[in-house]
């Protein structure tokens, strides 16, 4: 560091520390990026800046990393601990890349390391952002003053004053100089490569953090109105309505006003503070998994479409907040038109929300304008977020996907967008969902309450600590790669003007939508609430001794860890006892005490509520529960029998719960479950013969219970089909709903989704897709139905089966 720069660092250190509050991206860079504090570090910065150095100095100290303002000694020579790609900005004009200086620094470092081969220097790129303004067509003085791109000392001073509380420090993965030196390149070639990579890296980081430059609304209106793809639709609309060109343009402008977001970086900065307060008020924290994979996609130049599950209105805020805090540009959000009420609508718009009607039917112009607006977002590089379920899940399970937005995304790709488009499934979970009680009312037939400010105030009155929230980013789906692998001729359909609906579009979109839902479930978060709810709801009368519950939870945790559903599922790193204590603290379970110890239970109303949380992870235990049912109710004694059972029912369960296994993987998965049961002492395995341990059979019975409600629904539908071979699917759905309600009342089945018409319809549709119905008149494949009836009914509790039979006689 030069003497003058060192002087200014000393002078400004305390003022800057008072004015600046930095936010780390990622939150724990050493652990998440593999930065080793025990190895020597040299920081790579974009610009030589006193304020950047002081902010980094404070962050480095908190991470146990070396001070960037102290030199590092290599081979007996002191050199600066930071290199910068650009020099200090002059008061007027722009700084040129300091190629000669940075290359000289890199060359000197390489030369010194050639002689000191024991040193493994980590080059750690660090980018500092003051605010998150992406820039736009605004040429005002205010925009210029607060522009973060290579600011002069005066502009940097203004930024520290106005944006010091919004300083983001973005660490990147370290570059090992040992690996760089392993090649045969010359010192100068390596130095040139490092300098070039650093400049490109900081450019990509800026794109990731800030997003593309914003387009003004009047410019957006003009682009949409002048779109070649929209022109024929406007001409047709003008002819139908007998309107002039100007009148059609005015109609289009109104529709754009109804739809379009009005993104504001200032609102996002304010929102960041408000939401930080809100999360601290509501939750103990937010658990985030696999955010780095999304940051990498963004840095690679992908067009990112976030497709989360939909549990709560809180989803809109939570995911955007997490994305912003994880160092990525917040997405534009597709929201239902029901959320555009005043004053929330204008606020949501400035936060990036654009609004869509529930249906596009009967309004071709609206559909065309919406598609064109979405295309403009894609074409300009904005990330987008939409919910493929269409609405919030009232049951806690994933809903069947609505494919409209996915279809428009694929059609956007067929418009010739150059950037690859990647769908990023996201699992959102909560220890407490504020709308759960209203969901249960709606499932029982109560009308949905219209969104309004009154609803908002009701919610605000309930603010209290609701445990944790969970955001898990799932395995991305590259649309370009998917189409390359599954639709060889898709590029033949690319047309920048004409809306394309090739024959392959509908089945392809359906498959992509189902993959999205499967990938969401593949990254589920197991929590204290979801796992405890699952266990307690599996017990008769919903009451269990605490020590027995702890044993059950310990087994479930061990099963999830030793036989993982997928690598993306997150499991708490605690014991069953610790997990139970966390659940009890959230005040959702009743704890009573007698002379023999504590009993954990759920009231009737509490049991209904907890089915929602159980359903969040029910898919993780569907097959283990089916295996347990085969052992307990079918008295199976071999792995082969269990494998056959799982294979026979898997297509139906997969269709309903979006399970992620291939048929070819099922045998290995069943074998792993059986091995776990043996290790847990629940069964004995001798010469491939399985016998249930009578002392621990209760644990297997509890596990078997988790799939019971699903099998009971199957039995209801199948027995009606067997009794009424010519019944139409609509009548089958009605009769099944009636019988399921009766079964729920008689046997105290507390899950509202047990008799939900949508769930029953999903199963019936699955039977149709699997050819249990034949022909156009819904005739049944009686032989296949009979085999399925035998399989399913043999897994039910006798009392439940007796009720079904009696109700149909």
């Amino acid at each position: 560091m030069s003497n003058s720069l060192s002087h200014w660092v000393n002078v400004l250190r305390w003022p800057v520390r008072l004015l600046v509050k930095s936010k780390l991206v990622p939150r724990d860079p050493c652990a998440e990026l593999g930065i080793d504090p025990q190895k020597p570090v040299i920081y790579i910065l974009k610009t030589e800046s006193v304020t950047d150095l002081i902010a980094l100095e404070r962050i480095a100290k908190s991470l146990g990393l070396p001070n960037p303002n102290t030199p590092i000694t290599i081979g007996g020579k002191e050199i600066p601990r930071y290199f910068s790609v650009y020099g200090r900005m002059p008061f007027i004009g722009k700084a040129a890349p300091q190629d000669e200086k940075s290359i000289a620094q890199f060359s000197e470092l390489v030369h010194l390391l050639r002689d000191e081969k024991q040193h493994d220097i980590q080059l750690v790129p660090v980018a500092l952002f003051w605010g998150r303004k992406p820039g736009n067509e605004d040429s005002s003085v205010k925009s210029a003053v607060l522009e973060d791109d290579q600011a002069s000392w005066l502009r940097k001073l203004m930024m520290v004053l106005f944006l010091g509380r919004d300083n983001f420090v973005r660490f990147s993965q370290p570059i090992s100089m040992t690996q760089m030196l392993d090649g045969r390149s010359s010192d100068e070639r390596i130095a040139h490569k490092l300098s070039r990579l650093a400049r490109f890296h900081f450019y990509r980081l800026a794109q990731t953090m800030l997003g593309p430059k914003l387009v003004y609304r009047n410019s957006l209106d003009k682009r949409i109105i002048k779109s070649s793809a929209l022109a024929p639709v406007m001409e047709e609309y003008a002819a139908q309505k007998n309107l002039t060109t100007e009148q059609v343009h005015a109609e289009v402008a109104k529709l754009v006003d109804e739809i379009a977001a009005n993104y504001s970086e200032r609102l996002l900065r304010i929102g960041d503070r408000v939401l930080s307060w809100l999360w601290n008020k509501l939750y103990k924290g937010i658990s985030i998994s696999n955010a780095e994979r999304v940051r990498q996609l963004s840095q690679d130049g992908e067009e990112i479409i976030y497709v989360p599950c939909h549990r709560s209105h809180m989803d809109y805020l939570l995911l955007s907040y997490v994305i912003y805090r994880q160092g990525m540009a917040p997405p534009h959000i597709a929201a239902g038109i029901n959320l555009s009420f005043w004053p929330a609508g204008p606020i949501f718009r400035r936060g990036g929300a654009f609004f869509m009607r529930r249906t596009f039917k009967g309004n071709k112009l609206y559909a065309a304008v919406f598609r064109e607006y979405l295309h403009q977002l894609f074409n300009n590089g904005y990330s987008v977020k939409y919910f493929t379920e269409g609405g919030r899940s009232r049951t806690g399970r994933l809903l069947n996907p609505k494919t409209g937005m996915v279809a428009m995304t694929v059609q956007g790709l067929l418009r010739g967008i150059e950037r690859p488009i990647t769908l990023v499934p996201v699992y959102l979970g909560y220890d407490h969902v504020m709308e759960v009680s209203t969901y249960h009312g709606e499932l029982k037939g109560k009308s949905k309450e219209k969104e309004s400010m009154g609803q908002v105030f009701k919610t605000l009155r309930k603010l209290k600590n609701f445990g944790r929230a969970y955001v898990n980013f799932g395995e991305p789906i590259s649309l370009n790669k998917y189409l390359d692998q599954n639709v060889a001729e898709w590029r033949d359909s690319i047309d920048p003007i004409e809306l394309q609906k090739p024959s392959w579009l509908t089945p392809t979109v359906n498959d992509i939508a189902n993959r999205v839902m499967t990938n969401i479930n593949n990254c589920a978060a197991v929590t204290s609430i979801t796992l405890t709810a699952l266990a307690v709801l599996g017990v008769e009368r919903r009451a269990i001794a605490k020590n027995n519950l702890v044993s059950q939870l310990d087994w479930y945790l061990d099963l999830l860890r030793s036989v993982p559903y997928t690598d993306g599922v997150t499991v708490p790193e605690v014991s069953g006892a610790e997990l139970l204590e966390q659940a009890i603290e959230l005040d959702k379970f009743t704890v009573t005490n007698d002379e023999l110890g504590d009993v954990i239970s759920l009231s009737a109303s509490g049991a209904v509520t907890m089915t929602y949380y159980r359903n969040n992870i029910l898919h993780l235990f569907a097959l283990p529960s089916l295996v347990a049912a085969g052992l307990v109710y079918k008295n199976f004694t071999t792995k082969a029998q269990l494998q056959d059972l799982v294979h026979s029912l898997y297509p139906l369960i997969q269709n309903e719960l979006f399970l992620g296994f291939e048929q070819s993987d099922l045998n290995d998965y069943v074998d792993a479950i059986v091995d776990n049961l043996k290790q847990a002492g629940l069964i004995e395995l001798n010469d491939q013969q399985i016998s249930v341990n009578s002392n621990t059979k209760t644990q297997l019975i509890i596990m078997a219970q988790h799939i019971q409600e699903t099998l009971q629904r199957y039995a209801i539908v199948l027995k009606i089909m067997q009794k009424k071979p010519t019944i139409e699917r609509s009548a089958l759905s009605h009769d099944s709903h009636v019988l399921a309600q009766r079964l729920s009342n008689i046997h105290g089945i507390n899950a509202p989704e047990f008799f939900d018409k949508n769930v029953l319809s999903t199963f019936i549709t699955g039977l149709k897709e699997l050819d249990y119905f034949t022909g156009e008149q819904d005739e049944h494949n009686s032989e296949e139905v009979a085999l399925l009836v035998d399989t399913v009914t043999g897994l039910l509790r006798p009392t439940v089966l007796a009720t079904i039979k009696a109700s149909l006689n």
Side-chain angles (χ1 to χ4, degrees):
M1 184 189 299
S2 65
N3 289 333
S4 62
L5 195 62
S6 177
H7 169 75
W8 283 110
V9 167
N10 292 328
V11 169
L12 297 175
R13 179 175 281 118
W14 288 109
V16 170
R17 286 187 175 184
L18 289 174
L19 293 170
V20 174
K21 182 178 181 180
S22 298
K23 303 177 180 72
L24 260 176
V25 180
R27 182 164 294 183
D28 187 357
C30 293
E32 294 185 47
L33 302 176
I35 302 172
D36 188 348
Q38 304 304 316
K39 292 182 179 179
V41 170
I42 291 178
Y43 303 99
I44 309 298
L45 304 178
K46 180 180 177 182
T47 307
E48 192 171 41
S49 163
V50 173
T51 51
D52 285 3
L53 284 170
I54 295 172
L56 177 57
E57 179 183 76
R58 191 174 188 179
I59 288 294
K61 183 179 180 181
S62 69
L63 296 173
L65 295 174
N67 187 338
N69 294 310
T70 60
I72 183 173
T73 302
I74 302 176
K77 182 175 181 179
E78 282 191 353
I79 62 172
R81 196 179 287 277
Y82 72 91
F83 298 167
S84 55
V85 178
Y86 294 90
R88 279 178 286 174
M89 285 292 297
F91 182 69
I92 298 175
K94 290 188 175 182
Q98 52 179 27
D99 286 339
E100 292 184 5
K101 182 178 179 181
S102 63
I103 290 172
Q105 287 179 312
F106 283 126
S107 295
E108 182 181 26
L109 175 63
V110 172
H111 177 72
L112 291 172
L113 289 175
R114 293 286 190 194
D115 298 331
E116 294 287 333
K117 293 184 179 180
Q118 71 274 20
H119 287 288
D120 185 8
I121 300 291
Q122 301 172 103
L123 297 184
V124 179
V126 185
L128 290 93
F129 295 87
W130 301 84
R132 300 281 288 275
K133 189 174 180 62
N136 51 28
E137 298 162 351
D138 189 354
S139 58
S140 66
V141 173
K142 181 179 179 181
S143 176
V145 167
L146 296 181
E147 183 64 47
D148 192 17
D149 187 23
Q150 301 181 48
S152 68
W153 66 267
L154 180 58
R155 286 169 59 195
K156 206 57 170 284
L157 175 61
M158 300 297 291
M159 289 160 57
V160 170
L161 289 173
F162 291 104
L163 300 173
R165 313 300 285 182
D166 295 285
N167 170 245
F168 288 80
V169 181
R170 171 71 160 90
F171 280 78
S172 299
Q173 288 184 332
I175 301 169
S176 170
M177 285 304 296
T178 297
Q179 295 178 6
M180 293 292 294
L181 295 173
D182 282 345
R184 297 183 178 180
S185 299
S186 65
D187 292 1
E188 185 177 358
R189 191 182 184 96
I190 293 174
H192 277 275
K193 180 179 180 180
L194 286 170
S195 181
R196 184 176 63 254
L197 287 175
R199 288 198 301 274
F200 184 69
H201 178 75
F202 285 121
Y203 167 77
R204 279 291 179 83
L205 272 186
Q207 294 292 308
T208 300
M209 288 284 292
L210 308 179
K213 291 188 180 296
L214 299 177
V215 178
Y216 273 129
R217 278 294 309 280
N218 58 355
S219 299
L220 180 64
D221 288 355
K222 291 177 183 177
R223 291 182 189 183
I224 291 177
I225 289 172
K226 292 181 179 180
S227 167
S228 300
L230 193 59
V233 181
M234 290 194 294
E235 291 175 7
E236 181 182 342
Y237 185 80
Q240 288 178 347
K241 302 291 184 180
N242 195 25
L243 300 175
T244 65
T245 300
E246 290 74 17
Q247 288 174 319
V248 175
H249 288 179
E251 290 276 351
V252 171
K254 286 181 181 178
L255 291 176
V256 175
D257 280 340
E258 177 187 320
I259 295 167
N262 190 18
Y263 189 93
S264 166
E265 185 268 343
R266 178 189 294 179
L267 179 73
L268 289 175
R269 283 192 283 114
I270 296 171
D272 178 49
R273 292 186 177 89
V274 172
L275 290 177
S276 293
W277 169 84
L278 181 64
W279 304 135
N280 289 331
K281 183 78 173 177
L282 288 177
Y283 302 109
K284 288 184 177 179
I286 304 172
S287 297
I288 303 166
S289 175
N290 290 323
E292 183 59 31
R293 69 166 32 144
V294 188
R295 282 196 293 266
Q296 190 58 53
L297 285 172
S298 183
Q299 284 180 232
D300 291 342
E302 302 271 335
E303 171 65 31
I304 296 178
I305 313 295
Y306 298 95
V307 277
C309 60
H310 202 3
R311 312 276 193 215
S312 166
H313 280 319
M314 199 64 71
D315 298 343
Y316 296 101
L317 303 176
L318 176 65
L319 183 54
S320 292
Y321 173 81
V322 166
I323 291 169
Y324 184 79
R325 278 300 185 101
Q326 289 296 313
M328 294 172 281
H332 281 59
I333 310 159
I337 195 70
N338 57 306
L339 294 178
S340 65
F341 61 89
W342 188 89
I347 295 174
F348 290 157
R349 284 186 196 276
R350 296 183 73 80
F354 60 96
F355 295 96
M356 59 188 297
R357 298 176 185 176
R358 289 299 182 188
T359 179
F360 292 5
K361 290 181 180 179
N363 197 330
K364 192 173 180 180
L365 182 64
Y366 175 83
V369 171
F370 188 90
R371 277 196 299 268
E372 184 59 32
Y373 176 75
L374 196 63
H375 175 71
Q376 290 293 334
L377 294 182
F378 294 159
N379 206 42
N380 285 286
Y382 299 114
S383 60
V384 173
K385 176 177 72 178
Y386 54 72
F387 299 95
T388 51
E389 292 172 283
R392 293 165 292 159
S393 169
R394 267 61 176 173
T395 65
R397 297 152 39 124
L398 294 184
L399 304 176
N400 284 334
K402 308 293 185 184
T403 57
M405 290 296 291
V406 178
M408 282 188 276
T409 303
V410 175
Q411 288 175 320
L413 195 60
L414 297 182
R415 290 280 297 273
I417 295 173
E418 295 182 0
R419 303 172 74 221
I421 296 180
T422 297
L423 304 178
V424 178
V426 188
Y427 176 93
L428 301 176
Y430 306 87
D431 283 339
H432 180 87
V433 174
M434 286 180 283
E435 300 102 319
V436 164
S437 59
T438 63
Y439 291 166
H440 293 152
E442 290 171 24
L443 287 171
K444 292 178 180 179
K446 184 179 178 181
S447 298
K448 178 179 177 290
E449 186 177 350
K450 186 178 180 180
E451 284 78 6
S452 65
M453 282 307 298
Q455 263 194 342
V456 174
F457 290 132
K458 285 180 184 178
T459 300
L460 290 176
R461 287 201 300 269
K462 298 177 183 177
L463 290 182
K464 61 179 181 179
N465 196 311
F466 291 142
R468 298 186 68 84
Y470 304 86
V471 180
N472 288 358
F473 294 94
E475 184 68 29
I477 301 171
S478 167
L479 289 187
N480 301 66
K481 291 180 181 178
Y482 173 88
L483 293 177
D484 286 341
Q485 293 169 1
N486 296 278
V487 189
E489 73 280 10
W490 75 273
R491 295 181 191 275
D492 298 336
S493 301
I494 292 177
D495 191 315
I497 297 176
E498 189 71 24
L499 177 65
Q500 297 297 295
K501 293 183 179 180
S503 60
W504 53 262
L505 182 65
T506 296
T508 298
V509 165
N510 290 339
D511 185 58
I512 291 171
N514 280 306
R515 286 178 184 236
V516 167
M517 308 312 286
T518 299
N519 285 11
I520 290 173
N521 266 350
N522 284 352
C523 63
V526 179
T527 71
S528 61
I529 286 295
T530 56
L531 199 61
T532 306
L534 180 85
V536 176
L537 289 171
V539 180
E540 188 176 1
R541 300 179 64 84
R542 304 175 301 277
I544 183 173
K546 182 177 180 179
N547 59 324
N548 292 338
L549 178 55
V550 168
S551 297
Q552 195 77 13
L553 293 174
D554 278 328
W555 172 36
Y556 286 0
L557 289 169
D558 179 68
L559 178 65
L560 291 167
R561 293 166 188 156
S562 60
V563 190
Y565 182 85
T566 66
D567 292 338
V569 172
T570 54
V571 182
E573 294 296 329
V574 296
S575 67
E578 292 170 311
L579 193 80
L580 179 57
E581 289 306 314
Q582 293 175 9
I584 291 172
E585 285 177 7
L586 291 167
D587 198 28
K588 295 183 184 296
F589 298 90
T590 302
V591 182
T592 55
N593 182 269
D594 57 29
E595 294 182 4
L596 299 178
D598 289 342
V599 174
I600 311 299
S601 62
L602 285 167
S603 64
S605 60
V608 174
T609 299
M610 297 313 290
T611 60
Y612 186 94
Y613 301 99
R614 174 202 64 185
N615 289 346
N616 290 178
I617 62 165
L618 183 61
H619 63 286
L620 303 180
F621 289 87
L623 298 188
S625 181
L626 191 58
V627 168
L631 294 170
V632 171
Y633 297 115
K634 283 277 194 178
N635 297 316
F636 285 156
T637 58
T638 68
K639 287 183 180 180
Q641 290 174 311
L642 295 172
Q643 290 168 352
D644 290 343
L645 172 65
V646 170
H647 277 286
S648 65
L649 294 180
Y650 182 73
L652 294 169
I653 300 174
Q654 180 188 36
N655 183 64
E656 181 175 335
L657 296 179
F658 299 103
L659 303 186
F661 296 101
E662 299 293 336
Q663 283 277 357
S664 57
D665 298 329
L666 291 178
N667 285 352
D668 289 341
Y669 186 61
V670 171
D671 288 350
I673 292 171
V674 172
D675 290 342
N676 177 266
L677 297 180
K678 179 185 176 183
Q679 292 295 324
L682 302 178
I683 64 171
E684 294 180 2
L685 190 60
N686 297 311
D687 296 327
Q688 302 304 310
Q689 290 293 305
I690 301 171
S691 58
V692 174
N693 187 333
S694 59
N695 294 327
T696 55
K697 186 176 181 179
T698 301
Q699 288 186 264
L700 273 180
I701 293 174
I702 295 173
M703 172 66 87
Q705 185 61 29
H706 305 324
I707 198 68
Q708 278 291 302
E709 290 170 11
T710 300
L711 297 175
Q712 289 162 10
R713 275 197 311 275
Y714 291 0
I716 288 169
V717 174
L718 293 168
K719 291 295 286 184
I720 293 174
M721 289 173 64
Q722 202 172 37
K723 184 174 179 62
K724 303 177 181 180
T726 60
I727 190 171
E728 294 183 354
R729 278 187 287 159
S730 58
L732 175 61
S733 179
H734 172 269
D735 290 358
S736 299
H737 172 69
V738 172
L739 181 50
Q741 281 185 310
R742 164 170 282 199
L743 209 67
S744 176
N745 292 330
I746 292 175
H747 293 280
I749 299 171
N750 298 94
E753 80 277 1
F754 180 72
F755 49 83
D756 181 55
K757 293 179 180 179
N758 292 327
V759 176
L760 289 164
S761 295
T762 296
F763 174 60
I764 294 170
T765 301
L767 290 173
K768 172 70 174 177
E769 293 172 351
L770 292 169
D771 297 327
Y772 285 94
F773 292 93
T774 58
E776 296 182 0
Q777 301 301 318
D778 290 343
E779 296 95 341
H780 308 158
N781 188 329
S782 56
E783 291 183 6
E784 293 296 325
V785 170
L787 288 173
L788 194 55
V789 167
D790 289 342
T791 300
V792 171
T793 55
L795 297 167
L796 299 184
R797 288 183 298 163
T799 53
V800 172
L801 181 58
T803 302
I804 295 174
K805 290 180 177 179
S807 300
L808 291 175
N809 288 335

